[in-house]
Amino acid sequence: MNYIKLRKNNLCVENISAQKLVKKYRTPFYCYSLSQLKNNYHTFNSTFRTVKPIICFSVKSNANLTLLRELKKMGSGADVVSIGELLKATKAGISAKKIVFSGIGKTEEEIRMAIKKRVLLINVESENEVNLINKISKKISRKISIGIRLNPNITGKTHQKISTGGKGEKFGLVYNDFINVCKKIRKMRNLKLEGLSVHIGSQITNVKPFKKVLSVINKIINKTKINFKFIDLGGGMGISYSKKEKQLNLKQYAQLVNKFIKNKNSKIIFEPGRFIIGNAAILITKIIYIKKSNNKNFIVLDAGMNNLMRSALYNAHHQIVPLKKTNKLFKGNLEFVGPVCESSDKFSNQKSFSQIKEGDYVGLANVGAYGMSLSSNYNTRPTIAEIMVNGSKHRVIRKRQSLENLVNN
Ligand SMILES: *Cc1c(COP(=O)(O)O)cnc(C)c1O
């Protein structure tokens, strides 16, 4: 089900036309569909209903407090990677019993906060992190639950910059180190080794790498004979960004996990980000200029890489949608670019597009994940507003940063 789409040639977010929104809100802004978010969460939940996983939404994909509160209402937990994300997740009302803390560089302050909040699992990524947690737990005389992140040496056939599962990457412990650290932890009386976690990367659209991961985990379990209370399979489930690119077959993945979990009494944890929020937003932006140069038509937008970095950072493609689709076409070499002073500040090249002119608006699709959360003040531009649509209602869920706030530090 798609809640953000062209209806009778008008771009709509649920029951509201984007044209109505641009009359009310200043561009650029992110616009979310709450129904899409709910739909995605429920699809995920029901596809894995046999294993009844703990779903820990990856806060780094989108950290908007209102959206986190909505996810909490649906029953979501959180996967956090910093003290800021941890505090935001708890502020959104997410129970610490449903929070896992990942990341290779947790500081002592972050670890202490995670312990104080009594999170479900701290997923450690190095032996020295284990030692630090052990030291802290001795001081406070409390047993701490930890998981270890495995580096399974499997890459997800995704963009190199979002692949985390290869042995040359900084993440997790490779097979032999994992086994050795398990042995050490068992001798530490202040630590409870409860989890095995893994996350091989993002935007994985083929089920095969996940299948390989499950078999490596089985190997580890056979070798260590540890009955992990939690097996945290991470996130990474890919979505469709273009007609050519299919989303991950989640049902197939669920079948693999069902088979994997049979005869084990572990609880499955997932940490999806993109799958839950990715297609639930569109970035609405205005065409400032159309500049002809060297056989090209540069369509200069008021949104740039500071608002949506994925294209510059990962060569990611986001479909561009007109607010009003016309039968008449604008033909030629069209290049959609932002206003930022960087040549990588461009979104898309097209051979034809709906008839557009300066002052018109377009939307960049599927920007819910790693859109706003990756945005910055580069070029001293304010962070932009986030709007949420629910049926026929719409409201601001993050204000555009004021110029005063922007220039005062
Ligand atoms: C980024 C990340 C996720 C979420 O990845 P998606 O591709 O958005 O599902 C989950 N777990 C960890 C440890 C991560 O770093």
Side-chain angles (χ1 to χ4, degrees):
M1 183 77 183
N2 266 325
Y3 289 87
I4 304 176
K5 61 176 179 206
L6 286 165
R7 277 205 239 160
K8 292 185 186 144
N9 290 332
N10 287 307
L11 177 64
C12 291
V13 181
E14 303 198 25
N15 300 334
I16 300 182
S17 82
Q19 288 177 87
K20 197 170 161 189
L21 294 172
V22 295
K23 286 197 187 110
K24 169 108 186 156
Y25 303 108
R26 171 172 174 184
T27 59
F29 59 86
Y30 278 92
C31 183
Y32 296 86
S33 157
L34 180 59
S35 301
Q36 187 71 60
L37 179 65
K38 287 183 175 171
N39 177 82
N40 296 346
Y41 186 86
H42 292 130
T43 299
F44 192 93
N45 204 15
S46 71
T47 309
F48 287 102
R49 63 188 166 272
T50 314
V51 300
K52 292 198 182 64
I54 302 175
I55 301 175
C56 294
F57 175 70
S58 169
V59 177
K60 79 170 190 284
S61 70
N62 193 308
N64 182 284
L65 194 61
T66 303
L67 298 175
L68 292 177
R69 284 188 172 130
E70 291 295 340
L71 283 159
K72 188 259 164 190
K73 280 192 233 162
M74 295 176 225
S76 184
D79 163 48
V80 302
V81 294
S82 70
I83 193 168
E85 288 189 1
L86 172 59
L87 295 176
K88 261 194 135 166
T90 50
K91 185 165 181 184
I94 294 172
S95 157
K97 288 193 197 78
K98 287 186 179 179
I99 297 179
V100 295
F101 199 138
S102 313
I104 71 146
K106 299 179 206 81
T107 62
E108 182 162 346
E109 182 197 19
E110 290 179 314
I111 291 169
R112 283 183 183 277
M113 185 60 81
I115 291 171
K116 187 176 159 201
K117 297 275 183 194
R118 298 179 187 258
V119 300
L120 180 67
L121 277 182
I122 301 175
N123 285 329
V124 302
E125 305 215 14
S126 67
E127 191 177 339
N128 291 348
E129 188 186 348
V130 171
N131 294 335
L132 176 58
I133 298 175
N134 190 44
K135 205 175 85 188
I136 297 172
S137 65
K138 254 187 210 160
K139 261 192 222 158
I140 61 169
S141 327
R142 214 175 91 206
K143 264 196 149 179
I144 311 293
S145 299
I146 61 168
I148 316 179
R149 178 160 172 184
L150 170 71
N151 179 326
N153 193 22
I154 291 159
T155 54
K157 270 197 186 151
T158 181
H159 190 277
Q160 190 206 333
K161 286 195 175 153
I162 50 176
S163 177
T164 59
K167 66 179 180 201
E169 307 295 341
K170 65 182 178 180
F171 299 99
L173 290 165
V174 295
Y175 189 85
N176 287 334
D177 296 345
F178 189 99
I179 306 277
N180 289 333
V181 169
C182 281
K183 282 182 196 154
K184 285 194 177 145
I185 294 175
R186 286 172 123 181
K187 291 186 198 132
M188 296 175 165
R189 271 182 292 145
N190 301 290
L191 299 183
K192 275 185 287 185
L193 176 54
E194 291 196 320
L196 180 157
S197 81
V198 67
H199 172 75
I200 55 168
S202 202
Q203 185 52 16
I204 298 163
T205 51
N206 188 312
V207 82
K208 273 187 204 147
F210 291 118
K211 191 174 178 182
K212 285 190 201 157
V213 167
L214 295 175
S215 87
V216 178
I217 297 175
N218 274 329
K219 216 169 121 189
I220 294 259
I221 291 173
N222 289 334
K223 175 89 182 165
T224 60
K225 304 276 187 304
I226 298 176
N227 188 358
F228 291 100
K229 190 170 170 191
F230 302 104
I231 293 179
D232 178 348
L233 295 174
M237 302 81 179
I239 64 168
S240 166
Y241 281 100
S242 67
K243 286 188 186 100
K244 279 181 276 173
E245 195 179 16
K246 272 203 180 148
Q247 74 165 51
L248 174 75
N249 187 329
L250 208 63
K251 283 196 179 127
Q252 266 180 19
Y253 189 16
Q255 282 162 6
L256 293 173
V257 177
N258 292 345
K259 203 171 131 202
F260 165 83
I261 204 68
K262 248 188 192 169
N263 310 319
K264 289 189 183 74
N265 49 9
S266 307
K267 186 83 180 161
I268 293 286
I269 298 173
F270 282 115
E271 304 168 346
R274 192 188 309 272
F275 190 90
I276 303 292
I277 192 83
N279 71 351
I282 189 153
L283 174 56
I284 309 280
T285 169
K286 189 177 182 173
I287 300 168
I288 309 177
Y289 298 112
I290 296 180
K291 172 178 167 175
K292 286 192 175 52
S293 167
N294 200 17
N295 287 330
K296 272 189 191 172
N297 292 286
F298 289 101
I299 316 293
V300 185
L301 306 172
D302 64 358
M305 65 188 287
N306 55 312
N307 308 121
L308 176 65
M309 181 138 80
R310 296 191 68 256
S311 307
L313 191 61
Y314 312 127
N315 284 326
H317 175 72
H318 287 275
Q319 230 171 308
I320 299 188
V321 197
L323 260 53
K324 197 168 179 58
K325 196 176 163 196
T326 56
N327 290 327
K328 227 174 143 193
L329 290 179
F330 183 160
K331 289 191 178 160
N333 287 326
L334 280 74
E335 188 161 312
F336 289 84
V337 300
V340 171
C341 302
E342 290 284 341
S343 46
S344 58
D345 185 29
K346 59 180 167 193
F347 294 112
S348 175
N349 288 293
Q350 315 253 332
K351 288 278 172 239
S352 73
F353 199 78
S354 261
Q355 195 58 246
I356 37 173
K357 58 181 188 313
E358 290 175 356
D360 284 352
Y361 300 87
V362 294
L364 288 149
N366 303 314
V367 294
Y370 310 102
M372 189 65 186
S373 67
L374 264 169
S375 72
S376 77
N377 286 127
Y378 188 42
N379 276 204
T380 309
R381 292 170 181 278
T383 51
I384 60 179
E386 294 180 288
I387 309 294
M388 184 172 79
V389 171
N390 180 15
S392 305
K393 291 185 295 221
H394 50 91
R395 67 183 177 100
V396 177
I397 56 170
R398 184 202 301 264
K399 274 195 203 153
R400 172 194 169 89
Q401 186 181 14
S402 69
L403 288 178
E404 195 194 357
N405 182 288
L406 179 71
V407 299
N408 273 339
N409 48 60

mmCIF file of all heavy atoms in Angstrom, residues 56-61 79-81 102-103 123 125 149 162 164 171 197-199 201-204 232-238 270-277 369-370, ligand 1:
data_model
loop_
_atom_site.group_PDB
_atom_site.id
_atom_site.type_symbol
_atom_site.label_atom_id
_atom_site.label_comp_id
_atom_site.label_asym_id
_atom_site.label_seq_id
_atom_site.Cartn_x
_atom_site.Cartn_y
_atom_site.Cartn_z
ATOM 1 N N CYS A 56 13.186 -3.471 17.363
ATOM 2 C CA CYS A 56 13.882 -2.293 17.884
ATOM 3 C C CYS A 56 14.172 -1.364 16.714
ATOM 4 O O CYS A 56 15.142 -1.555 15.974
ATOM 5 C CB CYS A 56 15.172 -2.712 18.581
ATOM 6 S SG CYS A 56 14.882 -3.692 20.054
ATOM 7 N N PHE A 57 13.312 -0.369 16.539
ATOM 8 C CA PHE A 57 13.462 0.579 15.433
ATOM 9 C C PHE A 57 14.823 1.269 15.519
ATOM 10 O O PHE A 57 15.236 1.758 16.570
ATOM 11 C CB PHE A 57 12.338 1.617 15.495
ATOM 12 C CG PHE A 57 12.474 2.706 14.471
ATOM 13 C CD1 PHE A 57 12.280 2.447 13.123
ATOM 14 C CD2 PHE A 57 12.815 4.009 14.860
ATOM 15 C CE1 PHE A 57 12.422 3.459 12.181
ATOM 16 C CE2 PHE A 57 12.951 5.021 13.918
ATOM 17 C CZ PHE A 57 12.758 4.734 12.582
ATOM 18 N N SER A 58 15.520 1.321 14.393
ATOM 19 C CA SER A 58 16.838 1.937 14.345
ATOM 20 C C SER A 58 16.702 3.461 14.355
ATOM 21 O O SER A 58 16.341 4.071 13.347
ATOM 22 C CB SER A 58 17.554 1.477 13.074
ATOM 23 O OG SER A 58 18.705 2.248 12.883
ATOM 24 N N VAL A 59 16.994 4.053 15.503
ATOM 25 C CA VAL A 59 16.753 5.491 15.680
ATOM 26 C C VAL A 59 17.647 6.329 14.774
ATOM 27 O O VAL A 59 17.301 7.436 14.391
ATOM 28 C CB VAL A 59 16.919 5.878 17.172
ATOM 29 C CG1 VAL A 59 16.756 7.378 17.378
ATOM 30 C CG2 VAL A 59 15.897 5.130 18.021
ATOM 31 N N LYS A 60 18.804 5.787 14.361
ATOM 32 C CA LYS A 60 19.662 6.607 13.512
ATOM 33 C C LYS A 60 19.031 6.852 12.139
ATOM 34 O O LYS A 60 19.359 7.806 11.465
ATOM 35 C CB LYS A 60 21.062 6.001 13.379
ATOM 36 C CG LYS A 60 21.218 4.856 12.400
ATOM 37 C CD LYS A 60 22.724 4.561 12.216
ATOM 38 C CE LYS A 60 23.012 3.601 11.088
ATOM 39 N NZ LYS A 60 22.712 2.205 11.415
ATOM 40 N N SER A 61 18.103 5.992 11.736
ATOM 41 C CA SER A 61 17.457 6.208 10.436
ATOM 42 C C SER A 61 16.502 7.402 10.474
ATOM 43 O O SER A 61 16.316 8.084 9.473
ATOM 44 C CB SER A 61 16.722 4.951 9.970
ATOM 45 O OG SER A 61 15.574 4.706 10.769
ATOM 46 N N ASP A 79 16.683 0.622 18.634
ATOM 47 C CA ASP A 79 18.114 0.336 18.530
ATOM 48 C C ASP A 79 18.806 1.685 18.509
ATOM 49 O O ASP A 79 18.539 2.499 17.631
ATOM 50 C CB ASP A 79 18.378 -0.441 17.230
ATOM 51 C CG ASP A 79 19.844 -0.422 16.830
ATOM 52 O OD1 ASP A 79 20.691 -0.695 17.693
ATOM 53 O OD2 ASP A 79 20.141 -0.125 15.660
ATOM 54 N N VAL A 80 19.663 1.935 19.504
ATOM 55 C CA VAL A 80 20.313 3.247 19.599
ATOM 56 C C VAL A 80 21.822 3.092 19.485
ATOM 57 O O VAL A 80 22.371 2.049 19.820
ATOM 58 C CB VAL A 80 19.934 3.969 20.914
ATOM 59 C CG1 VAL A 80 18.425 4.145 21.028
ATOM 60 C CG2 VAL A 80 20.477 3.238 22.140
ATOM 61 N N VAL A 81 22.463 4.143 19.005
ATOM 62 C CA VAL A 81 23.913 4.085 18.802
ATOM 63 C C VAL A 81 24.655 5.260 19.451
ATOM 64 O O VAL A 81 25.823 5.476 19.173
ATOM 65 C CB VAL A 81 24.279 3.999 17.299
ATOM 66 C CG1 VAL A 81 23.798 2.689 16.699
ATOM 67 C CG2 VAL A 81 23.719 5.173 16.508
ATOM 68 N N SER A 102 23.876 -0.291 20.341
ATOM 69 C CA SER A 102 24.926 -0.791 19.446
ATOM 70 C C SER A 102 25.972 0.293 19.210
ATOM 71 O O SER A 102 25.755 1.457 19.565
ATOM 72 C CB SER A 102 24.332 -1.182 18.085
ATOM 73 O OG SER A 102 23.183 -1.966 18.227
ATOM 74 N N GLY A 103 27.064 -0.078 18.569
ATOM 75 C CA GLY A 103 28.073 0.914 18.172
ATOM 76 C C GLY A 103 29.462 0.549 18.656
ATOM 77 O O GLY A 103 29.632 0.028 19.752
ATOM 78 N N ASN A 123 25.154 -4.154 23.117
ATOM 79 C CA ASN A 123 25.836 -5.024 22.152
ATOM 80 C C ASN A 123 27.274 -4.561 21.983
ATOM 81 O O ASN A 123 27.539 -3.536 21.364
ATOM 82 C CB ASN A 123 25.102 -5.025 20.805
ATOM 83 C CG ASN A 123 23.825 -5.850 20.851
ATOM 84 O OD1 ASN A 123 23.740 -6.831 21.597
ATOM 85 N ND2 ASN A 123 22.838 -5.465 20.073
ATOM 86 N N GLU A 125 31.288 -4.515 20.898
ATOM 87 C CA GLU A 125 31.947 -4.752 19.617
ATOM 88 C C GLU A 125 33.450 -4.972 19.742
ATOM 89 O O GLU A 125 34.153 -5.078 18.743
ATOM 90 C CB GLU A 125 31.658 -3.584 18.658
ATOM 91 C CG GLU A 125 30.165 -3.327 18.473
ATOM 92 C CD GLU A 125 29.790 -2.871 17.084
ATOM 93 O OE1 GLU A 125 30.607 -2.992 16.156
ATOM 94 O OE2 GLU A 125 28.656 -2.391 16.920
ATOM 95 N N ARG A 149 28.519 -8.446 19.257
ATOM 96 C CA ARG A 149 28.233 -8.321 17.830
ATOM 97 C C ARG A 149 29.227 -9.147 17.037
ATOM 98 O O ARG A 149 30.441 -8.987 17.157
ATOM 99 C CB ARG A 149 28.300 -6.860 17.400
ATOM 100 C CG ARG A 149 28.059 -6.693 15.910
ATOM 101 C CD ARG A 149 27.648 -5.297 15.585
ATOM 102 N NE ARG A 149 27.596 -5.045 14.150
ATOM 103 C CZ ARG A 149 27.328 -3.871 13.624
ATOM 104 N NH1 ARG A 149 27.089 -2.840 14.411
ATOM 105 N NH2 ARG A 149 27.299 -3.699 12.313
ATOM 106 N N ILE A 162 27.581 1.431 2.755
ATOM 107 C CA ILE A 162 26.610 1.003 3.763
ATOM 108 C C ILE A 162 26.715 -0.493 4.034
ATOM 109 O O ILE A 162 25.807 -1.119 4.541
ATOM 110 C CB ILE A 162 25.155 1.425 3.423
ATOM 111 C CG1 ILE A 162 24.776 1.041 1.997
ATOM 112 C CG2 ILE A 162 24.959 2.905 3.642
ATOM 113 C CD1 ILE A 162 23.314 1.354 1.660
ATOM 114 N N THR A 164 28.535 -3.409 6.211
ATOM 115 C CA THR A 164 29.219 -3.453 7.506
ATOM 116 C C THR A 164 29.686 -4.851 7.895
ATOM 117 O O THR A 164 30.295 -5.027 8.933
ATOM 118 C CB THR A 164 28.272 -2.956 8.629
ATOM 119 O OG1 THR A 164 27.115 -3.795 8.643
ATOM 120 C CG2 THR A 164 27.845 -1.525 8.416
ATOM 121 N N PHE A 171 33.296 -3.242 12.184
ATOM 122 C CA PHE A 171 32.190 -3.665 13.046
ATOM 123 C C PHE A 171 32.315 -5.089 13.574
ATOM 124 O O PHE A 171 32.736 -6.001 12.863
ATOM 125 C CB PHE A 171 30.863 -3.537 12.285
ATOM 126 C CG PHE A 171 30.585 -2.127 11.856
ATOM 127 C CD1 PHE A 171 30.853 -1.716 10.562
ATOM 128 C CD2 PHE A 171 30.086 -1.208 12.765
ATOM 129 C CE1 PHE A 171 30.614 -0.407 10.175
ATOM 130 C CE2 PHE A 171 29.849 0.096 12.383
ATOM 131 C CZ PHE A 171 30.108 0.506 11.090
ATOM 132 N N SER A 197 24.571 -10.558 18.439
ATOM 133 C CA SER A 197 23.960 -9.636 17.485
ATOM 134 C C SER A 197 24.774 -9.580 16.206
ATOM 135 O O SER A 197 25.970 -9.899 16.185
ATOM 136 C CB SER A 197 23.831 -8.230 18.081
ATOM 137 O OG SER A 197 25.049 -7.534 17.996
ATOM 138 N N VAL A 198 24.100 -9.185 15.167
ATOM 139 C CA VAL A 198 24.750 -9.106 13.864
ATOM 140 C C VAL A 198 23.994 -8.072 13.028
ATOM 141 O O VAL A 198 22.792 -7.884 13.198
ATOM 142 C CB VAL A 198 24.752 -10.513 13.189
ATOM 143 C CG1 VAL A 198 23.353 -10.968 12.824
ATOM 144 C CG2 VAL A 198 25.664 -10.564 11.976
ATOM 145 N N HIS A 199 24.737 -7.342 12.212
ATOM 146 C CA HIS A 199 24.096 -6.396 11.275
ATOM 147 C C HIS A 199 25.074 -6.230 10.124
ATOM 148 O O HIS A 199 26.161 -5.689 10.305
ATOM 149 C CB HIS A 199 23.817 -5.050 11.964
ATOM 150 C CG HIS A 199 23.335 -3.986 11.025
ATOM 151 N ND1 HIS A 199 22.049 -3.981 10.513
ATOM 152 C CD2 HIS A 199 23.962 -2.923 10.462
ATOM 153 C CE1 HIS A 199 21.926 -2.935 9.685
ATOM 154 N NE2 HIS A 199 23.069 -2.286 9.642
ATOM 155 N N GLY A 201 24.726 -4.698 7.132
ATOM 156 C CA GLY A 201 24.695 -3.540 6.238
ATOM 157 C C GLY A 201 23.265 -3.137 5.961
ATOM 158 O O GLY A 201 22.332 -3.701 6.535
ATOM 159 N N SER A 202 23.121 -2.160 5.099
ATOM 160 C CA SER A 202 21.808 -1.572 4.874
ATOM 161 C C SER A 202 21.387 -1.717 3.418
ATOM 162 O O SER A 202 22.231 -1.924 2.544
ATOM 163 C CB SER A 202 21.878 -0.098 5.264
ATOM 164 O OG SER A 202 20.607 0.400 5.555
ATOM 165 N N GLN A 203 20.102 -1.596 3.187
ATOM 166 C CA GLN A 203 19.529 -1.663 1.832
ATOM 167 C C GLN A 203 19.924 -2.969 1.119
ATOM 168 O O GLN A 203 20.441 -2.978 0.012
ATOM 169 C CB GLN A 203 19.939 -0.414 1.016
ATOM 170 C CG GLN A 203 19.339 -0.267 -0.378
ATOM 171 C CD GLN A 203 17.808 -0.377 -0.423
ATOM 172 O OE1 GLN A 203 17.125 -0.287 0.578
ATOM 173 N NE2 GLN A 203 17.251 -0.621 -1.596
ATOM 174 N N ILE A 204 19.677 -4.094 1.801
ATOM 175 C CA ILE A 204 19.935 -5.413 1.229
ATOM 176 C C ILE A 204 18.624 -5.933 0.656
ATOM 177 O O ILE A 204 17.624 -6.034 1.367
ATOM 178 C CB ILE A 204 20.502 -6.362 2.315
ATOM 179 C CG1 ILE A 204 21.836 -5.810 2.809
ATOM 180 C CG2 ILE A 204 20.637 -7.775 1.786
ATOM 181 C CD1 ILE A 204 22.290 -6.381 4.116
ATOM 182 N N ASP A 232 19.980 -11.221 17.980
ATOM 183 C CA ASP A 232 19.613 -9.930 17.401
ATOM 184 C C ASP A 232 20.117 -9.902 15.962
ATOM 185 O O ASP A 232 21.323 -9.841 15.717
ATOM 186 C CB ASP A 232 20.277 -8.833 18.257
ATOM 187 C CG ASP A 232 20.019 -7.432 17.731
ATOM 188 O OD1 ASP A 232 19.537 -7.299 16.595
ATOM 189 O OD2 ASP A 232 20.331 -6.474 18.465
ATOM 190 N N LEU A 233 19.176 -9.985 15.031
ATOM 191 C CA LEU A 233 19.571 -10.106 13.623
ATOM 192 C C LEU A 233 19.760 -8.766 12.920
ATOM 193 O O LEU A 233 19.972 -8.715 11.708
ATOM 194 C CB LEU A 233 18.546 -10.967 12.868
ATOM 195 C CG LEU A 233 18.481 -12.443 13.336
ATOM 196 C CD1 LEU A 233 17.341 -13.182 12.649
ATOM 197 C CD2 LEU A 233 19.802 -13.160 13.086
ATOM 198 N N GLY A 234 19.666 -7.678 13.681
ATOM 199 C CA GLY A 234 19.956 -6.365 13.092
ATOM 200 C C GLY A 234 18.878 -5.901 12.123
ATOM 201 O O GLY A 234 17.731 -6.352 12.160
ATOM 202 N N GLY A 235 19.260 -4.981 11.260
ATOM 203 C CA GLY A 235 18.323 -4.445 10.270
ATOM 204 C C GLY A 235 18.824 -4.753 8.878
ATOM 205 O O GLY A 235 19.302 -5.856 8.629
ATOM 206 N N GLY A 236 18.713 -3.775 7.994
ATOM 207 C CA GLY A 236 19.275 -3.938 6.657
ATOM 208 C C GLY A 236 18.287 -4.299 5.567
ATOM 209 O O GLY A 236 18.666 -4.381 4.398
ATOM 210 N N MET A 237 17.026 -4.545 5.955
ATOM 211 C CA MET A 237 16.043 -4.966 4.953
ATOM 212 C C MET A 237 15.827 -3.832 3.938
ATOM 213 O O MET A 237 15.454 -2.718 4.302
ATOM 214 C CB MET A 237 14.695 -5.302 5.612
ATOM 215 C CG MET A 237 14.763 -6.376 6.668
ATOM 216 S SD MET A 237 15.341 -5.656 8.225
ATOM 217 C CE MET A 237 15.301 -7.075 9.300
ATOM 218 N N GLY A 238 16.059 -4.170 2.681
ATOM 219 C CA GLY A 238 16.041 -3.150 1.636
ATOM 220 C C GLY A 238 14.639 -2.841 1.116
ATOM 221 O O GLY A 238 13.742 -3.678 1.148
ATOM 222 N N PHE A 270 14.944 -7.718 16.017
ATOM 223 C CA PHE A 270 15.283 -7.074 14.743
ATOM 224 C C PHE A 270 15.503 -5.591 14.984
ATOM 225 O O PHE A 270 14.894 -5.022 15.900
ATOM 226 C CB PHE A 270 14.162 -7.244 13.713
ATOM 227 C CG PHE A 270 14.109 -8.588 13.059
ATOM 228 C CD1 PHE A 270 13.024 -9.433 13.266
ATOM 229 C CD2 PHE A 270 15.137 -9.020 12.226
ATOM 230 C CE1 PHE A 270 12.975 -10.676 12.649
ATOM 231 C CE2 PHE A 270 15.096 -10.256 11.618
ATOM 232 C CZ PHE A 270 14.003 -11.091 11.825
ATOM 233 N N GLU A 271 16.316 -4.998 14.146
ATOM 234 C CA GLU A 271 16.594 -3.555 14.258
ATOM 235 C C GLU A 271 16.327 -2.841 12.928
ATOM 236 O O GLU A 271 17.224 -2.234 12.356
ATOM 237 C CB GLU A 271 18.066 -3.336 14.644
ATOM 238 C CG GLU A 271 18.510 -4.040 15.919
ATOM 239 C CD GLU A 271 20.031 -4.030 16.091
ATOM 240 O OE1 GLU A 271 20.756 -3.719 15.126
ATOM 241 O OE2 GLU A 271 20.499 -4.337 17.197
ATOM 242 N N PRO A 272 15.122 -2.927 12.407
ATOM 243 C CA PRO A 272 14.873 -2.305 11.100
ATOM 244 C C PRO A 272 14.771 -0.786 11.205
ATOM 245 O O PRO A 272 14.223 -0.268 12.173
ATOM 246 C CB PRO A 272 13.521 -2.898 10.684
ATOM 247 C CG PRO A 272 12.819 -3.150 11.967
ATOM 248 C CD PRO A 272 13.887 -3.522 12.972
ATOM 249 N N GLY A 273 15.321 -0.099 10.263
ATOM 250 C CA GLY A 273 15.161 1.348 10.178
ATOM 251 C C GLY A 273 14.479 1.683 8.867
ATOM 252 O O GLY A 273 13.289 1.996 8.800
ATOM 253 N N ARG A 274 15.251 1.560 7.803
ATOM 254 C CA ARG A 274 14.779 1.913 6.470
ATOM 255 C C ARG A 274 13.447 1.246 6.097
ATOM 256 O O ARG A 274 12.562 1.891 5.539
ATOM 257 C CB ARG A 274 15.836 1.498 5.439
ATOM 258 C CG ARG A 274 15.624 2.044 4.044
ATOM 259 C CD ARG A 274 16.619 1.403 3.074
ATOM 260 N NE ARG A 274 17.980 1.472 3.535
ATOM 261 C CZ ARG A 274 18.806 2.489 3.308
ATOM 262 N NH1 ARG A 274 18.408 3.503 2.582
ATOM 263 N NH2 ARG A 274 20.038 2.478 3.774
ATOM 264 N N PHE A 275 13.317 -0.049 6.419
ATOM 265 C CA PHE A 275 12.097 -0.752 6.014
ATOM 266 C C PHE A 275 10.849 -0.125 6.636
ATOM 267 O O PHE A 275 9.778 -0.116 6.049
ATOM 268 C CB PHE A 275 12.170 -2.250 6.405
ATOM 269 C CG PHE A 275 11.052 -3.051 5.810
ATOM 270 C CD1 PHE A 275 11.191 -3.645 4.564
ATOM 271 C CD2 PHE A 275 9.829 -3.178 6.478
ATOM 272 C CE1 PHE A 275 10.135 -4.347 3.991
ATOM 273 C CE2 PHE A 275 8.774 -3.873 5.909
ATOM 274 C CZ PHE A 275 8.936 -4.470 4.663
ATOM 275 N N ILE A 276 11.004 0.421 7.844
ATOM 276 C CA ILE A 276 9.858 0.959 8.577
ATOM 277 C C ILE A 276 9.532 2.402 8.134
ATOM 278 O O ILE A 276 8.374 2.780 8.028
ATOM 279 C CB ILE A 276 10.162 0.961 10.099
ATOM 280 C CG1 ILE A 276 10.506 -0.462 10.585
ATOM 281 C CG2 ILE A 276 9.011 1.547 10.903
ATOM 282 C CD1 ILE A 276 9.379 -1.453 10.571
ATOM 283 N N ILE A 277 10.573 3.197 7.878
ATOM 284 C CA ILE A 277 10.327 4.638 7.689
ATOM 285 C C ILE A 277 10.698 5.129 6.281
ATOM 286 O O ILE A 277 10.272 6.208 5.864
ATOM 287 C CB ILE A 277 11.076 5.453 8.789
ATOM 288 C CG1 ILE A 277 10.645 6.925 8.841
ATOM 289 C CG2 ILE A 277 12.586 5.386 8.623
ATOM 290 C CD1 ILE A 277 9.429 7.184 9.620
ATOM 291 N N ALA A 369 14.057 7.533 5.615
ATOM 292 C CA ALA A 369 15.202 6.988 6.344
ATOM 293 C C ALA A 369 16.485 7.653 5.871
ATOM 294 O O ALA A 369 16.715 7.778 4.664
ATOM 295 C CB ALA A 369 15.296 5.481 6.123
ATOM 296 N N TYR A 370 17.317 8.059 6.819
ATOM 297 C CA TYR A 370 18.617 8.675 6.515
ATOM 298 C C TYR A 370 18.446 9.950 5.674
ATOM 299 O O TYR A 370 19.305 10.295 4.880
ATOM 300 C CB TYR A 370 19.560 7.663 5.843
ATOM 301 C CG TYR A 370 19.622 6.370 6.617
ATOM 302 C CD1 TYR A 370 18.932 5.240 6.200
ATOM 303 C CD2 TYR A 370 20.323 6.318 7.821
ATOM 304 C CE1 TYR A 370 18.944 4.066 6.959
ATOM 305 C CE2 TYR A 370 20.339 5.163 8.583
ATOM 306 C CZ TYR A 370 19.657 4.044 8.145
ATOM 307 O OH TYR A 370 19.661 2.903 8.906
HETATM 308 C C1 LIG B 1 22.008 1.281 10.806
HETATM 309 C C2 LIG B 1 21.764 0.100 11.665
HETATM 310 C C3 LIG B 1 20.527 -0.564 11.625
HETATM 311 C C4 LIG B 1 19.402 -0.180 10.692
HETATM 312 O O1 LIG B 1 19.672 -0.477 9.368
HETATM 313 P P1 LIG B 1 18.519 -0.355 8.247
HETATM 314 O O2 LIG B 1 19.209 -0.693 6.998
HETATM 315 O O3 LIG B 1 18.010 1.031 8.270
HETATM 316 O O4 LIG B 1 17.455 -1.344 8.601
HETATM 317 C C5 LIG B 1 20.347 -1.622 12.484
HETATM 318 N N1 LIG B 1 21.318 -2.029 13.342
HETATM 319 C C6 LIG B 1 22.514 -1.413 13.399
HETATM 320 C C7 LIG B 1 23.531 -1.898 14.361
HETATM 321 C C8 LIG B 1 22.776 -0.340 12.562
HETATM 322 O O5 LIG B 1 23.978 0.259 12.625
#
